[in-house]
Amino acid sequence: MKHSLFVLGLMAFFCTAPAMAVSAGSVASNGMARGTAGYNATSGTTNTVNRGYAGLANAYVTNQRNTYYMVTQPDVDTACRNKIFECLSEYCGDVTVVPGQRSNRCQYATESELYNYALLCLQRDTSPLLPQYTSGLNSSAGGMNTAARLCPSYVQQEVMSYMAMANMADELSKSHSDLCLQRRQELEAAMACHSVALAYGNETTSMLTTQLTDACGAGVPGGSAEMVTRFANAGNVGANVWGWAEKILNLDLNNKGEDWQMAVDSVLASYANRMNLACGDNLQINTASYSTSNSSQPSTLQTVAALATGVAFPDTAVNMENPYQSQGLYMEQTTMSEMYDYDTAYQVVQAAMSNPVTTQNAFLTTAQLSDMQTAYTRGTKVFIMRDSARCYIIPVATLTTQESNIIAQMFASCVN
């Protein structure tokens, strides 16, 4: 009996010893894991085996969301400009360089008209301007997150930008239009006829017409029979009844009157003006200034009248040679400040003519004042005053009919 109990006791001991060893090892292992879950004493770094980068992951998600809104959602400036451009496009039509596809409603619209319409359009827009801030600002007093509240201060600058783009689109579409190409060919033919008319102006009518027909006749690109006629008849003495009387008395039906070169220049300037209107350009033909003949010799009509009546005509003309024959009829000047009306431009020219060149001037430099006064003393009769958007024709001396026609045709877009 004692031996049996001893054997059973040994069996119990050997069975429970491994269990106690396993249990003790498990407790030690779990304690070590719990102790090193937050910190690794060997490496000094965070242990991420169990929980991972939860905080870093949340920060990454937040950063990605902020980056998305910064990239895809516009700021106030961009959002307002988009709203205003949509309003103007709805009113005028999209700005395009294709001829005929823009609405003509704003072709001659003023800045104030577009400004007022853009303000009305924004007042009707109650949608959120920045959607990412809708929950925080949409329900606040006064509708803080709306175009009507945030965008009126951007209207003026955006209207100016829109008008500039529309003007550039118009100019680009004009310069590539079929009418512009036709007018350019017409001007090329006119310039050829201009040189021929000056070279053969004093020849017979038949020879002049033949040369002009070869240069700009109906068979030449851009030329026409009308162009030949206009250059052939430019400066003819027979333009009035006294001219025909001169021709009959002289028996010279090919005689050209005084300043006939200016008449030829005037014809060329008219074709340049046609091209400018069709293409939106500002081409100017610089022609030489021709001295007028102030001969004191009596004309044929005066001689015939003196023979008939026995009384000679008085010599009223003074034959004074101009030492500055190369001085132009007009001079162009660009001012440093804006001249918003004709009266201001007129006062600028009058001050330039009367004040010393060292006088301080908000519109003209000292060099410009000196050039204008020198040109005036040498015979310049007209000053073309320009600023960034306008030009004005300011005469400072009496113009002849031919000179007035030349100035009016060369600077048809200027205020006279």
Side-chain angles (χ1 to χ4, degrees):
M1 186 65 181
K2 291 180 180 180
H3 292 288
S4 300
L5 292 173
F6 179 75
V7 172
L8 291 174
L10 289 175
M11 293 177 62
F13 174 79
F14 286 112
C15 290
T16 56
M20 292 175 62
V22 172
S23 177
S26 298
V27 171
S29 177
N30 290 339
M32 182 64 69
R34 286 195 295 269
T36 59
Y39 185 78
N40 191 335
T42 303
S43 61
T45 59
T46 302
N47 188 351
T48 60
V49 175
N50 294 327
R51 295 180 58 84
Y53 291 96
L56 185 59
N58 293 334
Y60 177 78
V61 172
T62 303
N63 181 68
Q64 289 293 97
R65 182 167 55 250
N66 293 339
T67 303
Y68 169 78
Y69 282 122
M70 290 175 62
V71 173
T72 61
Q73 300 297 330
D75 55 347
V76 175
D77 181 87
T78 305
C80 283
R81 295 187 186 282
N82 292 336
K83 290 281 187 181
I84 298 169
F85 189 83
E86 290 175 2
C87 290
L88 296 175
S89 298
E90 177 187 359
Y91 184 65
C92 300
D94 291 332
V95 175
T96 176
V97 297
V98 180
Q101 291 192 10
R102 273 191 70 241
S103 173
N104 292 328
R105 187 171 189 177
C106 293
Q107 187 173 3
Y108 300 103
T110 60
E111 178 185 348
S112 60
E113 177 184 350
L114 297 181
Y115 180 79
N116 292 333
Y117 179 81
L119 285 179
L120 292 175
C121 180
L122 292 178
Q123 292 299 323
R124 295 195 303 265
D125 191 351
T126 58
S127 59
L129 182 66
L130 301 178
Q132 68 269 33
Y133 301 122
T134 300
S135 60
L137 296 175
N138 191 35
S139 60
S140 59
M144 296 294 293
N145 190 15
T146 60
R149 184 63 179 266
L150 299 175
C151 296
S153 59
Y154 296 93
V155 172
Q156 181 71 28
Q157 185 174 358
E158 189 63 17
V159 166
M160 297 300 294
S161 175
Y162 182 87
M163 293 182 68
M165 289 189 294
N167 290 334
M168 288 187 291
D170 284 340
E171 293 179 1
L172 188 60
S173 62
K174 282 183 177 181
S175 63
H176 289 81
S177 64
D178 295 337
L179 179 61
C180 175
L181 297 179
Q182 294 175 7
R183 291 290 186 261
R184 290 187 190 278
Q185 286 187 340
E186 185 182 63
L187 180 60
E188 291 179 2
M191 294 180 72
C193 268
H194 176 265
S195 60
V196 170
L198 292 178
Y200 295 91
N202 289 322
E203 300 293 339
T204 62
T205 302
S206 59
M207 182 176 182
L208 176 60
T209 303
T210 301
Q211 296 294 333
L212 291 174
T213 303
D214 293 339
C216 62
V220 179
S224 63
E226 177 190 0
M227 185 181 296
V228 172
T229 303
R230 292 187 63 185
F231 277 104
N233 293 334
N236 277 342
V237 175
N240 52 59
V241 63
W242 301 112
W244 280 111
E246 289 273 3
K247 285 189 173 185
I248 294 173
L249 291 174
N250 288 322
L251 297 178
D252 183 6
L253 301 181
N254 302 309
N255 187 26
K256 295 286 184 179
E258 295 180 359
D259 300 334
W260 65 270
Q261 296 98 331
M262 287 188 178
V264 175
D265 292 345
S266 178
V267 175
L268 177 61
S270 66
Y271 285 104
N273 191 40
R274 283 161 59 93
M275 190 275 294
N276 287 335
L277 293 176
C279 301
D281 294 340
N282 191 25
L283 176 66
Q284 299 176 11
I285 305 298
N286 294 325
T287 57
S289 59
Y290 306 99
S291 60
T292 59
S293 175
N294 290 325
S295 175
S296 60
Q297 298 296 325
S299 64
T300 305
L301 287 178
Q302 290 175 336
T303 303
V304 173
L307 292 175
T309 60
V311 178
F313 277 74
D315 184 9
T316 57
V318 179
N319 187 12
M320 296 178 60
E321 294 184 0
N322 183 9
Y324 308 107
Q325 292 184 0
S326 61
Q327 183 64 40
L329 173 64
Y330 62 91
M331 172 178 284
E332 295 188 58
Q333 293 289 356
T334 301
T335 60
M336 298 181 293
S337 303
E338 300 295 325
M339 299 178 297
Y340 294 100
D341 50 31
Y342 182 88
D343 293 337
T344 302
Y346 181 81
Q347 292 176 3
V348 170
V349 174
Q350 294 302 317
M353 294 294 100
S354 57
N355 295 333
V357 295
T358 55
T359 304
Q360 200 165 14
N361 194 306
F363 296 91
L364 300 171
T365 63
T366 302
Q368 289 176 314
L369 293 173
S370 178
D371 293 341
M372 291 176 65
Q373 292 184 6
T374 302
Y376 176 72
T377 58
R378 294 184 177 182
T380 296
K381 297 183 177 181
V382 177
F383 289 102
I384 309 299
M385 306 302 295
R386 296 182 180 274
D387 57 16
S388 62
R390 293 158 288 269
C391 65
Y392 303 96
I393 302 174
I394 311 297
V396 293
T398 303
L399 300 175
T400 63
T401 303
Q402 292 87 349
E403 293 170 345
S404 299
N405 292 336
I406 291 176
I407 294 298
Q409 295 184 28
M410 291 185 65
F411 302 98
S413 61
C414 295
V415 178
N416 190 358

